[in-house]
Amino acid sequence: MTQSFRLESGGLINRDKKISFKFNGKNYFGYEGDTLASALIANGVHLIGRSFKYHRPRGFFGAGVDEPYAIVQLYRNGETEPNIKATEQELFEGLEAKSVNCWPSVNFDVGAINNFLKIFLPAGFYYKTFMWPKSFWYKIYEPFIRKAAGLGTASIKHDKERYEHKYEYCDLLITGSGPSGLASAYSAAKNGAKVILAEDKSRFGGTLLTSEVNIGNQSGKEWADSIISELKEMPNVTVKNRSQVFGYYDHNMLVMSERISDHLPKTKKFHPKQRLWYIRAKEVLISSGSIERPIVFGNNDTPGVMLSSAAKEYLKVYGVLVGKKPLVFTNNDSGYETAIEFKKNGIDPIILDTRKEPQSEIIEEAKNMNINIKNSYVVVAAQGYKKVKSADVAKISDNKEELGSIENIECDCICVSGFWTPTIHLASQSGNKTKFNEDIDAFVPGISKQNEKTLGAANGIYTLEETLKDSFEKGNLLSKKITNNDNKFSFPNVVEKKSTVHDKFWCVPLPKGKNYKRFLDFQNDVAVSDIEIALKEGYRSIEHVKRYTTLGMATDQGKTSNLNGLQLVSKIENKVVPAVGHTTFRPPYSPVSIGAIVGREVGKHSKPTRKSPMHSWHEKNNAVFVDAGVWLRPRYYKRGDENLFEASKREAKNVRSNVGVCDVTTLGKIDIKGPDAAELLNRVYTNAWLKLPVGKARYGVMLREDGIVMDDGTTTRISKNHYHMTTTTAQAANVLSHLEYYLQLVWPELNVNVVSTTEQWAGAAIAGPKSREVLKKLFPKSDVTNEGLPFMGYMEGDLFGVKAKIFRISFSGELAYEVNVESDNGYFMWEKIIEAGEEFGIQPYGTEALSTLRIEMGHVAGSELDGRTIPYDNSLEGLLSKKKDFIGKRSLSRKAFAAEDRQKIVGVVPLDKKTSIPEGSHLVKDSNAPLPNPKLGYISASCWSVEHDNPFSLAILKDGKNMIGEKLFVMSPLKNKVIPVEIVSSHYVDPKGERVRS
Amino acid sequence: MLHIKCPHCGLRSQNEFSYGGDATVKRPELGKEISDKDWDNFVYNRKSLRGKHWELWQHLSGCRQWIKVQRDTATHEIFKTLKANEEIS
Ligand SMILES: [Zn+2]
């Protein structure tokens, strides 16, 4: 296939390397260095999609990030990605793309019926129409809208690509490598500052690539190339292309997305697809340039109508003609530059200039080239459906209100220039108080809130000489402040053609009897008439007008539509534009892949995984693991084809009858040292701690100041001023912060140090009537008899040469011990325990059996200490000291906490002794009561009691104290269950606690 | 993301810290009688200021020290940071 719109020569593409690609199933060729857009235009393809609301044909409007139309579904290396701008996507071998937003095809589009019905689709149409009847919404409206609207389809496959995050610090971050970016980067770099220069496009240089200027006897492009290659050699400079700084956050933190592999057919091995940079910059120089503004006229969305700067870029960068019979419609000199480029390449353009008698060097040049120029002329409407075929044009009166007679000019593209809008998005995001500049009819940055400055065109400076001067100076000044170097350099000689003032004209009036759609927002199909309706209906704030009409709310964030929208509102409202104000710019400046935002924190990597030193033993012994916070813990050890229920029952039973061992390494451990350690514990825990002897452990409960239980655990006095505290697995970090808070801020006079030792100790709980026999074998030299090591006792032991801590504490309600050794010896300890326990029938048990054992004993854990219960609720009121004050004590005397019928923990048994009770179910008095059925309490934890061989649950029940023996119902609407139950004591096994003391 | 100057470690990113609420609230003395109203004010009631606010942060992933930070709640400007034992002036 020939590229009929490609010039014979010219452009920055590599003509030696042909690239084949597919669009909507058809094969095409382009060159290395093309974008998908330039390659399609070279092949004469202008119809690329359908518009969002009216499904009108869509072509190309821009040549970069500002593109509102050319959004495609991209296919690359077996993956697909929606919402890709054809103007940004670089061509690679084998690229495939499809149109979006058209069904069934781009040429025949059912949704275009909307266009014929447009009288029914004014502003707020969706709000007004689809409201009722209600039942129509999900049956008819929603499926239809979903199919007919939307921009592409997200892949439902797992994204195999890798995305990285990077943190970086620099002195100056410079966003954009046009003249202002290059000049400021250069002078800052020469002063030794650490500089990051970011360029969104693949090529550095910005407008220098397309403008006819000279800097120091070089062309703009040559100068840009030489500056970039010098910067790249400097160790203090990072130069990044394909990198978009899209967000400006607090304290000069900016985020940049670097597209590393998107331009390649396939991501290279070990390379990420994209990298997100979090950059903390001392100073930010915004050199993001400006975006050309459209002029609004009839059917101005027809394919072939595009920005004149884009037409010039396609010519100069890609050697591509956007048309062979171009019409240039302009209110300023920029349109002339585009026309001159056409003329240089043998194409005869016609210029329609809204101005009456403009004069400048550029206009003079165009005249000398014999370009046909029509002054005081406007395009009234574009003609043609899928591509511009001609333009209705007319003379316009000096007051710009009266149109002369309509003439028709044949053309195949209309290049529009309505002057330039500074790209102030980043400045606005930074909190800069922008101001309206009357000379350019646009907002420019004003008072900075953070350390940022805006340069060049982004700041409304449109001449090269002034831009370069200002940028060299700012780069020098800001870097000097940081590095104290002041490198002097001579300012290069700049040659550029002078231009004259633009015409403030931006919207062509409708000719009598015509009702052309004149679009403001090209992606969201917002026309002049929509804004007029919104204002008529009473919307005044520009923020409301925006939301009601969706002006500027598309993925291009109104880069080409915002200002014209404001002009219109200000005209109708008879207010000046600054009084209307602009809507807030928010990050991201341009869409960012979700993958890049997520980075490496995907799936298993979304949080760290903590494993105990015995983990590999558990793996080898068929443990099935469960996530406990960030820890992986054995849930049960599978034997044969046992399921969870069978295995956990076997494990729990074995603890009750023989002996079991459980990995309790995950328990939080805090080492507490200092002369005031006992005093700290006495204030933090609800019970008394001043008289705990050395070598003894004690169970304690700690509250928050609001009286709610925060955590529980045992703390052991190792020596006079040394305590070993344990916390629950989940609360370990919070308890440490809690202790630090009181020690550092509330009671700094206490001489105590606390430090986490969770990772330093490996722990094993040995529980069951035969546990003492196992212990004797493990510590033959120690006296572990009931007298030598009584309940709640502590001693140190020698585990075959390894120093061990032995605690006689129990979570299971059985005679039990916990042995701790230094983590490195954990595996050794575990193997020794298994070995020693073999003859007593020892079995490892997991968290499921652990839960069963504690539930039937009525020991509270995380599901009862859930941040909503006080000690009384958990039957822990016996641990509340009356003699001393402690954290949270005062709250317990508040009325609701002291209420007679306060909730309390109880046991729950199903009457049939068979039906298991779902956790989270509600307890009610009458299962047939009308809804909402008054809830008396909830099931906090359930198990199969191995002692009684029937289901047993714990519940927090209103007036639980007086409910023992009552018959109630458990209701679980989720599981559709109603179970008659009896309320019993929460201590279902060994209520007197004799076993732990045996 | 805020940039907070830990008085012990220097400038660090916000994600190393955790927020700890109003730094001007004083815990009532242990063992002292206190009215329900005063206790509720200590436990629950906060001003939720717009503007300059002294607040507590803990340098969780750093030195683990609790620090006092004077921040503008509307603009996020940080004026001053103090060690736990330094009085707010
Ligand atoms: Zn610190």
Side-chain angles (χ1 to χ4, degrees):
Chain A
M1 175 155 303
T2 57
Q3 298 177 36
S4 50
F5 287 82
R6 183 84 70 179
L7 296 168
E8 289 294 314
S9 62
L12 307 175
I13 45 167
N14 177 10
R15 289 173 189 262
D16 296 333
K17 199 161 173 211
K18 261 192 168 182
I19 289 179
S20 65
F21 68 102
K22 244 184 201 172
F23 180 65
N24 283 339
K26 240 175 122 179
N27 288 308
Y28 299 96
F29 286 98
Y31 292 117
E32 188 179 72
D34 261 327
T35 61
L36 175 58
S38 66
L40 282 171
I41 298 172
N43 284 281
V45 178
H46 275 269
L47 178 63
I48 187 151
R50 292 278 174 168
S51 75
F52 187 68
K53 199 159 85 186
Y54 301 127
H55 285 236
R56 285 163 71 111
R58 286 289 179 252
F60 301 94
F61 195 72
V65 68
D66 50 327
E67 175 62 43
Y69 296 153
I71 287 166
V72 298
Q73 183 86 21
L74 187 78
Y75 300 84
R76 170 181 174 271
N77 192 28
E79 301 282 341
T80 180
E81 206 177 328
N83 301 340
I84 299 295
K85 291 188 184 109
T87 53
E88 289 190 303
Q89 179 60 51
E90 293 172 56
L91 208 61
F92 56 77
E93 184 60 41
L95 179 150
E96 268 190 75
K98 278 186 190 152
S99 296
V100 296
N101 214 9
C102 49
W103 169 63
S105 86
V106 69
N107 274 299
F108 176 79
D109 183 68
V110 171
I113 194 115
N114 284 0
N115 191 24
F116 299 113
L117 297 176
K118 67 188 167 208
I119 190 155
F120 301 118
L121 278 170
F125 168 75
Y126 291 93
Y127 295 116
K128 289 168 184 164
T129 310
F130 295 135
M131 295 301 290
W132 49 268
K134 216 173 160 185
S135 62
F136 268 41
W137 174 252
Y138 56 92
K139 279 187 198 139
I140 294 164
Y141 297 144
E142 203 209 348
F144 180 77
I145 294 172
R146 276 198 189 282
K147 196 157 190 181
L151 300 161
T153 321
S155 171
I156 54 166
K157 283 199 295 185
H158 169 71
D159 188 351
K160 292 196 289 277
E161 297 279 358
R162 208 170 79 183
Y163 301 85
E164 283 182 352
H165 286 181
K166 181 180 166 74
Y167 291 81
E168 193 55 87
Y169 290 78
C170 66
D171 296 328
L172 273 84
L173 171 64
I174 300 168
T175 69
S177 73
S180 55
L182 289 173
S184 56
Y186 190 77
S187 56
K190 285 284 178 190
N191 277 348
K194 194 177 173 202
V195 174
I196 298 176
L197 176 63
E199 169 57 46
D200 173 34
K201 295 198 167 186
S202 62
R203 296 176 181 85
F204 295 99
T207 50
L208 292 173
L209 301 180
T210 54
S211 46
E212 291 292 307
V213 292
N214 263 278
I215 306 170
N217 294 327
Q218 287 175 302
S219 76
K221 172 159 192 313
E222 285 163 354
W223 183 78
D225 287 349
S226 67
I227 294 279
I228 281 291
S229 52
E230 199 174 331
L231 287 175
K232 277 183 174 166
E233 293 303 311
M234 297 171 79
N236 53 325
V237 182
T238 305
V239 173
K240 284 280 163 194
N241 60 339
R242 301 186 176 101
S243 296
Q244 172 84 64
V245 178
F246 64 79
Y248 200 135
Y249 301 90
D250 290 308
H251 295 187
N252 263 32
M253 156 77 83
L254 291 94
V255 185
M256 169 171 99
S257 89
E258 182 187 4
R259 303 182 306 277
I260 294 166
S261 312
D262 294 77
H263 64 294
L264 304 170
K266 203 177 148 186
T267 305
K268 282 186 206 147
K269 206 171 179 188
F270 307 124
H271 280 223
K273 183 164 185 246
Q274 295 177 2
R275 182 180 290 133
L276 216 63
W277 293 56
Y278 293 89
I279 303 169
R280 189 81 74 172
K282 288 197 183 119
E283 301 282 345
V284 176
L285 288 174
I286 299 168
S287 48
S288 44
S290 57
I291 292 173
E292 203 166 18
R293 220 180 293 164
I295 301 176
V296 180
F297 56 88
N299 299 333
N300 57 339
D301 64 329
T302 311
V305 177
M306 65 166 66
L307 293 173
S308 104
S309 57
K312 190 170 76 172
E313 188 168 336
Y314 287 117
L315 261 167
K316 294 211 71 165
V317 176
Y318 305 102
V320 167
L321 292 168
V322 299
K324 291 178 181 173
K325 272 186 275 175
L327 195 66
V328 176
F329 180 27
T330 187
N331 70 359
N332 70 97
D333 286 9
S334 299
Y336 288 78
E337 291 176 19
T338 303
I340 288 167
E341 283 309 317
F342 272 116
K343 187 76 180 179
K344 279 187 191 162
N345 286 288
I347 302 289
D348 271 324
I350 301 170
I351 296 176
L352 303 189
D353 192 331
T354 65
R355 298 171 294 183
K356 201 172 178 188
E357 288 160 338
Q359 278 180 354
S360 72
E361 271 181 47
I362 298 170
I363 297 170
E364 211 45 47
E365 188 185 354
K367 281 181 180 161
N368 291 340
M369 291 174 91
N370 288 324
I371 292 173
N372 184 356
I373 302 167
K374 289 161 128 22
N375 285 114
S376 293
Y377 255 82
V378 295
V379 175
V380 174
Q383 298 297 348
Y385 183 54
K386 287 178 191 167
K387 179 77 199 287
V388 171
K389 289 201 175 93
S390 66
D392 287 347
V393 306
K395 245 198 140 82
I396 192 157
S397 63
D398 290 354
N399 66 3
K400 302 288 195 264
E401 276 166 19
E402 308 300 323
L403 292 172
S405 57
I406 305 279
E407 304 158 40
N408 187 269
I409 300 180
E410 212 181 303
C411 61
D412 62 355
C413 67
I414 302 174
C415 307
V416 192
S417 178
F419 209 51
W420 297 86
T421 307
T423 306
I424 59 165
H425 297 65
L426 284 178
S428 169
Q429 287 175 21
S430 79
N432 186 299
K433 223 169 140 63
T434 57
K435 59 180 188 218
F436 193 73
N437 181 336
E438 298 263 353
D439 294 339
I440 60 169
D441 322 311
F443 287 93
V444 290
I447 304 155
S448 296
K449 188 186 132 191
Q450 304 197 39
N451 293 343
E452 50 82 23
K453 290 217 158 35
T454 302
L455 306 171
N459 197 23
I461 302 173
Y462 293 147
T463 69
L464 181 63
E465 185 159 11
E466 209 185 322
T467 291
L468 288 177
K469 252 192 184 134
D470 182 51
S471 306
F472 273 120
E473 225 174 83
K474 293 264 166 57
N476 181 50
L477 215 75
L478 291 176
S479 54
K480 198 166 76 183
K481 269 201 323 201
I482 297 164
T483 65
N484 289 321
N485 294 331
D486 189 2
N487 192 60
K488 300 274 181 240
F489 53 87
S490 53
F491 185 75
N493 184 43
V494 174
V495 182
E496 62 183 318
K497 292 203 184 71
K498 299 272 177 307
S499 56
T500 183
V501 287
H502 78 290
D503 181 2
K504 290 182 182 245
F505 179 80
W506 65 274
C507 182
V508 180
L510 281 176
K512 277 195 189 78
K514 294 286 182 189
N515 198 21
Y516 298 121
K517 278 261 169 202
R518 294 173 297 169
F519 286 95
L520 291 166
D521 184 311
F522 301 104
Q523 201 178 96
N524 267 356
D525 283 11
V526 180
V528 170
S529 51
D530 294 315
I531 304 287
E532 288 169 347
I533 289 171
L535 290 165
K536 250 184 227 164
E537 293 184 357
Y539 290 90
R540 286 295 173 273
S541 151
I542 187 69
E543 296 282 357
H544 292 163
V545 171
K546 164 184 159 177
R547 280 160 184 80
Y548 193 56
T549 61
T550 71
L551 174 79
M553 284 173 70
T555 62
D556 66 339
Q557 285 204 359
K559 291 185 178 66
T560 49
S561 65
N562 272 341
L563 265 169
N564 284 340
L566 288 177
Q567 303 259 33
L568 179 61
V569 174
S570 71
K571 191 180 143 200
I572 299 172
E573 290 285 283
N574 209 7
K575 278 184 194 161
V576 286
V577 173
V580 176
H582 64 79
T583 55
T584 317
F585 292 108
R586 296 180 209 282
Y589 169 69
S590 180
V592 184
S593 310
I594 298 287
I597 292 166
V598 174
R600 303 289 303 272
E601 290 161 19
V602 179
K604 250 307 181 212
H605 301 293
S606 58
K607 56 184 179 9
T609 301
R610 294 174 83 177
K611 296 175 182 172
S612 91
M614 290 85 99
H615 188 83
S616 59
W617 190 95
H618 305 321
E619 275 179 330
K620 277 182 256 170
N621 288 274
N622 294 327
V624 176
F625 292 93
V626 62
D627 290 317
V630 292
W631 289 94
L632 266 186
R633 297 190 71 177
R635 192 172 186 190
Y636 63 99
Y637 298 81
K638 198 180 172 81
R639 285 189 180 177
D641 42 11
E642 271 179 343
N643 60 22
L644 165 69
F645 180 69
E646 292 157 353
S648 62
K649 219 161 104 174
R650 167 183 53 75
E651 290 170 7
K653 249 185 180 158
N654 191 58
V655 171
R656 293 262 183 258
S657 51
N658 292 312
V659 56
V661 58
C662 181
D663 187 345
V664 292
T665 302
T666 64
L667 279 187
K669 302 170 205 80
I670 298 169
D671 210 52
I672 302 175
K673 274 184 181 164
D676 296 322
E679 179 60 28
L680 173 71
L681 295 171
N682 209 44
R683 294 178 185 189
V684 166
Y685 281 129
T686 62
N687 49 347
W689 283 81
L690 296 180
K691 286 175 186 157
L692 180 72
V694 171
K696 283 283 182 189
R698 184 165 285 175
Y699 175 71
V701 172
M702 58 179 82
L703 309 186
R704 312 189 309 215
E705 292 287 15
D706 63 3
I708 299 289
V709 180
M710 179 176 178
D711 197 42
D712 70 341
T714 56
T715 293
T716 306
R717 192 168 192 179
I718 305 289
S719 66
K720 186 165 179 279
N721 293 331
H722 182 195
Y723 291 81
H724 174 87
M725 175 185 275
T726 65
T727 73
T728 59
T729 303
Q731 290 294 331
N734 290 345
V735 170
L736 183 63
S737 275
H738 181 73
L739 298 180
E740 287 165 337
Y741 174 89
Y742 284 94
L743 285 174
Q744 293 171 23
L745 289 158
V746 185
W747 304 312
E749 68 277 10
L750 293 186
N751 193 354
V752 185
N753 272 310
V754 293
V755 67
S756 165
T757 53
T758 302
E759 308 248 306
Q760 278 65 36
W761 297 100
I766 307 169
K770 295 179 186 166
S771 56
R772 187 176 289 126
E773 300 310 310
V774 179
L775 220 67
K776 276 182 188 160
K777 280 182 75 183
L778 290 171
F779 301 100
K781 285 176 263 172
S782 303
D783 176 10
V784 295
T785 60
N786 203 21
E787 294 71 40
L789 183 58
F791 181 54
M792 296 309 260
Y794 162 79
M795 61 163 59
E796 282 180 10
D798 175 8
L799 182 84
F800 306 103
V802 167
K803 208 175 90 183
K805 291 179 164 177
I806 314 166
F807 306 86
R808 187 168 162 197
I809 52 178
S810 174
F811 192 50
S812 57
E814 295 298 326
L815 169 66
Y817 303 86
E818 260 179 51
V819 182
N820 280 6
V821 296
E822 285 165 2
S823 289
D824 286 352
N825 297 319
Y827 194 95
F828 173 80
M829 166 185 71
W830 188 267
E831 277 197 314
K832 287 290 167 202
I833 294 170
I834 296 287
E835 217 177 280
E838 207 182 343
E839 61 175 295
F840 308 106
I842 200 166
Q843 287 180 18
Y845 63 102
T847 56
E848 200 68 22
L850 187 76
S851 288
T852 297
L853 295 165
R854 76 94 185 167
I855 292 169
E856 59 178 6
M857 284 305 301
H859 276 173
V860 290
S863 50
E864 290 77 34
L865 311 181
D866 63 352
R868 296 182 295 179
T869 53
I870 60 171
Y872 175 86
D873 305 348
N874 295 294
S875 286
L876 295 170
E877 63 272 26
L879 288 168
L880 301 176
S881 168
K882 292 202 176 66
K883 293 191 190 121
K884 57 143 194 175
D885 198 359
F886 51 84
I887 292 170
K889 184 179 190 180
R890 179 64 180 79
S891 287
L892 298 178
S893 61
R894 303 293 283 124
K895 227 159 118 191
F897 285 175
E900 263 300 296
D901 61 349
R902 174 113 197 135
Q903 62 180 7
K904 200 174 188 53
I905 189 167
V906 293
V908 178
V909 179
L911 292 186
D912 68 0
K913 303 268 173 110
K914 269 188 230 145
T915 313
S916 64
I917 300 171
E919 289 176 349
S921 307
H922 288 185
L923 283 156
V924 299
K925 193 158 187 67
D926 175 3
S927 63
N928 293 315
L931 297 175
N933 195 340
K935 169 188 150 189
L936 301 178
Y938 58 93
I939 303 293
S940 60
S942 288
C943 71
W944 186 276
S945 165
V946 290
E947 182 97 356
H948 296 273
D949 203 26
N950 60 253
F952 175 74
S953 296
L954 293 175
I956 307 288
L957 182 62
K958 193 174 166 67
D959 198 20
K961 181 175 64 174
N962 297 314
M963 296 293 275
I964 309 298
E966 291 285 319
K967 305 263 194 316
L968 299 176
F969 293 92
V970 158
M971 290 188 79
S972 172
L974 269 180
K975 307 240 160 149
N976 203 16
K977 272 190 173 176
V978 179
I979 309 161
V981 296
E982 183 182 355
I983 305 302
V984 299
S985 159
S986 58
H987 301 292
Y988 203 38
V989 170
D990 189 24
K992 288 188 188 143
E994 286 163 342
R995 294 183 196 175
V996 291
R997 294 182 171 80
S998 62
Chain B
M1 203 187 320
L2 305 186
H3 220 192
I4 301 170
K5 191 180 168 190
C6 171
H8 308 279
C9 311
L11 266 179
R12 300 298 181 92
S13 269
Q14 183 184 345
N15 51 3
E16 293 185 13
F17 295 83
S18 76
Y19 183 70
D22 191 336
T24 63
V25 176
K26 284 256 176 298
R27 194 200 187 279
E29 231 177 278
L30 278 172
K32 221 175 173 184
E33 287 249 331
I34 179 168
S35 69
D36 282 352
K37 199 178 157 212
D38 287 346
W39 182 255
D40 288 351
N41 279 338
F42 158 65
V43 176
Y44 299 107
N45 297 330
R46 298 292 181 270
K47 284 193 190 108
S48 193
L49 282 175
R50 180 189 166 90
K52 281 189 179 181
H53 183 232
W54 275 104
E55 56 203 17
L56 295 170
W57 290 76
Q58 189 183 13
H59 195 188
L60 212 61
S61 311
C63 62
R64 293 204 64 88
Q65 294 301 300
W66 285 88
I67 60 170
K68 298 169 184 172
V69 177
Q70 190 186 34
R71 179 180 67 105
D72 188 309
T73 57
T75 65
H76 290 315
E77 189 180 347
I78 290 175
F79 307 98
K80 224 177 185 182
T81 53
L82 296 174
K83 295 176 182 173
N85 61 4
E86 290 175 317
E87 284 303 318
I88 293 166
S89 50

